[in-house]
Amino acid sequence: MSNDLLLNPRTYDPKHFDPETRRLLRATIDWFENRGEKKLTDDYNDVVFVTDFLEFAAKEGLFATFLTPSSNADGDENKRWDTARNAALNEILGFYGNVYWYAWQVTILGLGPVWQSSNEGVRAKTAELLSEGHVAAFALSEKTHGADIYQTDMVLTPDGHGGYRANGSKYYIGNGNVAGVVSVFGRRSDIEGPEGYVFFTADSRHPNYHLVKNVVNVQTYVSEFRLEDYPVPAENIMHTGEDAFSAALNTVNVGKFNLCADGVGICTHAMYEAVTHAHNRILYGKPVTNFPHVRREFTDAYVRLVAMKLFSDRAVDYFRSANADDRRYLLFNPMTKMKVTTEAEKVIDLLWDVIAAKGFEKDTYFNIAARDIRGLPKLEGTVHVNLALIQKFTQNYLFNPVEYAPVPTRIEAADDTFLFHQGPARGLGAIRFADWRAPYDRFAKLPNVARFREQADALCELLTDNAPTKEQLKDLDFSLSVTQLFALVVYGQLILEQAELTGLDTDVVDELFDVLIRDFSGFATDLYGKAAATDAQVAWAKAAVRRPAPDAERYARVWSQVEALSGAYEMQP
């Protein structure tokens, strides 16, 4: 059953990992469960910083074990940067609360420039701090410039002794209140242009580091801080010039991948709670789940969640298999960020439509999920920014396939060192892909997969016969609408690949593509209404709308899997 894909703390045993990884993942679950739901919800409502979680992580060596590359592990065979187990922890932390995941996430971002650096002193000191239980922060964005790394008002002035004095502010910096390692992006006062960029390390405990405030009203501490004549010796410089620019972008490439599994975890916990509530609530003499519209919304939410999980898990394999000659992960990465996180919002909305007022109750996990899920599409680049990235891959993905060796499931204990040697952040339009049609062909017997394939082929015809003009491509409102259609084809590819690798129930696969057909038709309708669309594009959009292939028996079998979630998990009180 596809339910086996979903995290259930009652039965969780990741046997595919090594013993220490299994122990730490299970220990994390047990810590949350023993702490209980009341403590979880009370701390959320009272806006209590996650100090107790950071103390647990420090005591267990959780971050140090999972986030120290083996080259800086000082012989500890359990320490490595392993995307598969990191994804598993992302999901667990999301399952219990986005605020706990966030402390881990911004540590990952803060470590990105460090592990990309050849500065062995900074690397060794950071590994030592992690072993002591410290966390990290990534100081890129500023109040005036946001995350526009072409602009920064953090200025380093030479001190006449080979070092610098840093002055300036950073804004929206997670862990900025407690981080022992703060990776700060700035520029030198004596060098104009890109060659003046600098990435250096700071420490939030230093007296010249001034914490201004927490800019959000949640459990996380998302800081504004100011450096005033902060001493930056030469040995604290990690990157300069164009390398600093690339380190910033490549760090975001590594970090934003984590949002997908976080979203999967949030939605999974919310799904258990919502189905259990609705299935045991009697209205008009019958369970709420007897109503046809309720079953449809729950079933749609369920298959959307399964799709999120399938895509995210398969993307891990491409991340771990990446090298200088295979950078396909650079498409699948913004897909996890943009597509999976917006799907997570849809899942929560569907569940909330059913449970209604229950979703507002302050002692439920769902109330936490409903509030926090909105942040994921807006972190590490907006949906529109990531859609614009995805757009760069369209031509080669759809029309210029090349042969690649099959990418296997990558769950072995290995250090994913390429993520810190990605090189210059350019050349996306030149990346090539395997033939996207192959996984669709292997599932062609499923009616809805075949029907969605018709829509994908129709998209190719649009881009061949009535492609957007240069003027239309400059109109992001129009061009990103087309990109949404393209993103669905990419989404379907990895879903099918993972469904095949896991032997997923074909009923669920076909029901899932029922949803994707409706989504494609919705985006085609959106394109139909664009003022910039030509008559030929409008005609195409109308013709691209499809009705999914209905199958009452298939639908009933999938519904039985949804129904089985009732009572399958409830958090310890």
Side-chain angles (χ1 to χ4, degrees):
M1 287 177 63
S2 55
N3 288 355
D4 295 337
L5 286 173
L6 303 182
L7 170 63
N8 187 336
R10 290 182 178 176
T11 58
Y12 186 73
D13 183 11
K15 295 179 180 178
H16 52 286
F17 289 128
D18 62 273
E20 181 62 6
T21 297
R22 291 204 305 271
R23 186 192 73 78
L24 285 170
L25 294 175
R26 188 66 242 183
T28 302
I29 287 175
D30 291 343
W31 182 81
F32 279 108
E33 289 292 330
N34 291 334
R35 191 166 170 264
E37 186 173 41
K38 186 178 189 303
K39 175 67 171 171
L40 187 86
T41 55
D42 284 351
D43 279 4
Y44 186 88
N45 294 325
D46 294 338
V47 196
V48 178
F49 184 62
V50 295
T51 301
D52 57 351
F53 169 66
L54 295 181
E55 290 173 348
F56 158 78
K59 177 176 177 292
E60 295 291 343
L62 181 64
F63 289 11
T65 302
F66 277 42
L67 300 180
T68 306
S70 56
S71 58
N72 287 94
D74 197 26
D76 187 336
E77 63 181 12
N78 293 308
K79 290 182 177 180
R80 62 184 182 276
W81 195 286
D82 178 333
T83 304
R85 70 177 186 178
N86 286 358
L89 185 56
N90 280 321
E91 191 172 340
I92 289 170
L93 295 180
F95 189 93
Y96 289 105
N98 191 63
V99 293
Y100 306 98
W101 168 86
Y102 185 75
W104 148 269
Q105 161 71 355
V106 291
T107 295
I108 286 174
L109 290 169
L111 294 173
V114 176
W115 301 140
Q116 291 179 68
S117 175
S118 58
N119 185 328
E120 291 300 332
V122 167
R123 292 171 65 96
K125 179 62 175 176
T126 298
E128 179 184 346
L129 288 168
L130 282 175
S131 293
E132 293 172 0
H134 290 277
V135 295
F138 183 58
L140 178 65
S141 65
E142 298 178 11
K143 189 172 186 178
T144 302
H145 305 299
D148 177 3
I149 60 178
Y150 294 97
Q151 306 288 330
T152 175
D153 294 329
M154 177 64 71
V155 179
L156 279 72
T157 305
D159 62 7
H161 303 287
Y164 307 88
R165 290 282 172 170
N167 286 278
S169 297
K170 291 291 180 179
Y171 195 80
Y172 224 79
I173 311 304
N175 286 355
N177 58 325
V178 293
V181 181
V182 185
S183 294
V184 186
F185 185 81
R187 60 181 173 86
R188 288 175 53 170
S189 64
D190 57 332
I191 299 178
E192 293 294 327
E195 290 305 313
Y197 293 143
V198 177
F199 243 126
F200 63 96
T201 58
D203 187 332
S204 69
R205 298 168 294 177
H206 194 281
N208 294 46
Y209 180 107
H210 300 284
L211 198 62
V212 178
K213 62 179 179 180
N214 185 359
V215 304
V216 298
N217 186 36
V218 293
Q219 280 181 270
T220 55
Y221 200 104
V222 185
S223 68
E224 178 184 2
F225 72 80
R226 184 176 67 255
L227 301 185
E228 292 183 353
D229 285 333
Y230 189 100
V232 183
E235 55 265 30
N236 282 21
I237 301 294
M238 296 183 287
H239 303 276
T240 61
E242 294 284 358
D243 287 344
F245 182 87
S246 291
L249 291 181
N250 291 337
T251 292
V252 174
N253 282 340
V254 174
K256 71 183 178 185
F257 177 75
N258 300 307
L259 279 77
C260 62
D262 176 38
V264 170
I266 292 171
C267 290
T268 302
H269 194 157
M271 175 75 73
Y272 285 123
E273 197 171 73
V275 173
T276 299
H277 168 74
H279 195 59
N280 291 279
R281 182 170 174 78
I282 305 300
L283 282 181
Y284 309 112
K286 62 180 72 173
V288 168
T289 48
N290 277 22
F291 294 101
H293 67 289
V294 168
R295 292 191 173 191
R296 168 47 64 194
E297 289 184 301
F298 270 150
T299 301
D300 279 4
Y302 177 72
V303 296
R304 285 188 187 276
L305 174 56
V306 169
M308 291 163 55
K309 173 70 171 170
L310 293 171
F311 187 92
S312 301
D313 285 354
R314 185 57 174 153
V316 166
D317 302 331
Y318 283 93
F319 246 69
R320 304 198 76 193
S321 299
N323 56 60
D325 298 317
D326 182 357
R327 299 200 298 159
R328 287 177 285 177
Y329 75 101
L330 289 174
L331 167 58
F332 303 138
N333 191 30
M335 281 290 302
T336 58
K337 161 62 186 83
M338 182 283 296
K339 188 63 182 174
V340 176
T341 61
T342 54
E343 286 295 296
E345 284 192 293
K346 292 176 184 177
V347 168
I348 295 298
D349 286 344
L350 286 163
L351 299 176
W352 206 350
D353 279 348
V354 174
I355 67 170
K358 183 71 177 178
F360 292 98
E361 293 184 10
K362 65 179 183 179
D363 58 351
T364 63
Y365 177 84
F366 195 94
N367 180 54
I368 296 172
R371 285 197 267 176
D372 288 351
I373 204 68
R374 307 300 171 197
L376 298 189
K378 301 166 185 65
L379 295 172
E380 326 316 350
T382 64
V383 169
H384 304 100
V385 166
N386 282 279
L387 269 173
L389 269 177
I390 291 165
Q391 189 178 75
K392 296 176 185 291
F393 300 94
T394 306
Q395 186 68 25
N396 275 347
Y397 178 93
L398 290 176
F399 300 110
N400 299 310
V402 294
E403 289 291 329
Y404 281 100
V407 173
T409 300
R410 297 291 306 276
I411 53 175
E412 74 278 11
D415 214 2
D416 297 334
T417 56
F418 177 73
L419 297 180
F420 303 108
H421 299 90
Q422 296 179 57
R426 58 176 179 264
L428 302 186
I431 295 171
R432 305 286 292 277
F433 298 85
D435 192 345
W436 60 271
R437 297 170 182 83
Y440 284 95
D441 290 343
R442 293 194 291 272
F443 282 86
K445 291 184 179 179
L446 298 182
N448 283 320
V449 175
R451 198 158 292 185
F452 182 82
R453 169 65 187 277
E454 291 175 11
Q455 292 179 308
D457 287 337
L459 176 62
C460 293
E461 292 172 7
L462 170 69
L463 296 178
T464 301
D465 301 336
N466 295 289
T469 64
K470 289 182 180 180
E471 290 73 22
Q472 286 176 321
L473 289 174
K474 292 177 183 178
D475 178 353
L476 287 179
D477 182 52
F478 177 86
S479 64
L480 295 185
S481 182
V482 178
T483 306
Q484 288 279 17
L485 295 165
F486 167 61
L488 280 171
V489 179
V490 180
Y491 198 52
Q493 178 203 330
L494 263 63
I495 287 168
L496 290 174
E497 289 184 7
Q498 189 67 5
E500 184 175 31
L501 288 168
T502 58
L504 183 67
D505 179 359
T506 56
D507 283 339
V508 174
V509 176
D510 210 33
E511 195 66 36
L512 189 164
F513 272 83
D514 177 297
V515 168
L516 295 189
I517 290 167
R518 285 183 269 140
D519 287 351
F520 193 101
S521 298
F523 286 125
T525 303
D526 181 60
L527 184 65
Y528 179 92
K530 296 296 182 186
T534 66
D535 289 344
Q537 290 164 343
V538 166
W540 175 89
K542 188 175 181 180
V545 172
R546 294 286 189 281
R547 178 174 182 263
D551 184 331
E553 293 181 356
R554 178 197 69 220
Y555 175 75
R557 291 192 295 270
V558 175
W559 166 249
S560 70
Q561 296 187 37
V562 181
E563 194 175 29
L565 297 177
S566 175
Y569 167 77
E570 287 186 74
M571 190 174 179
Q572 294 295 324

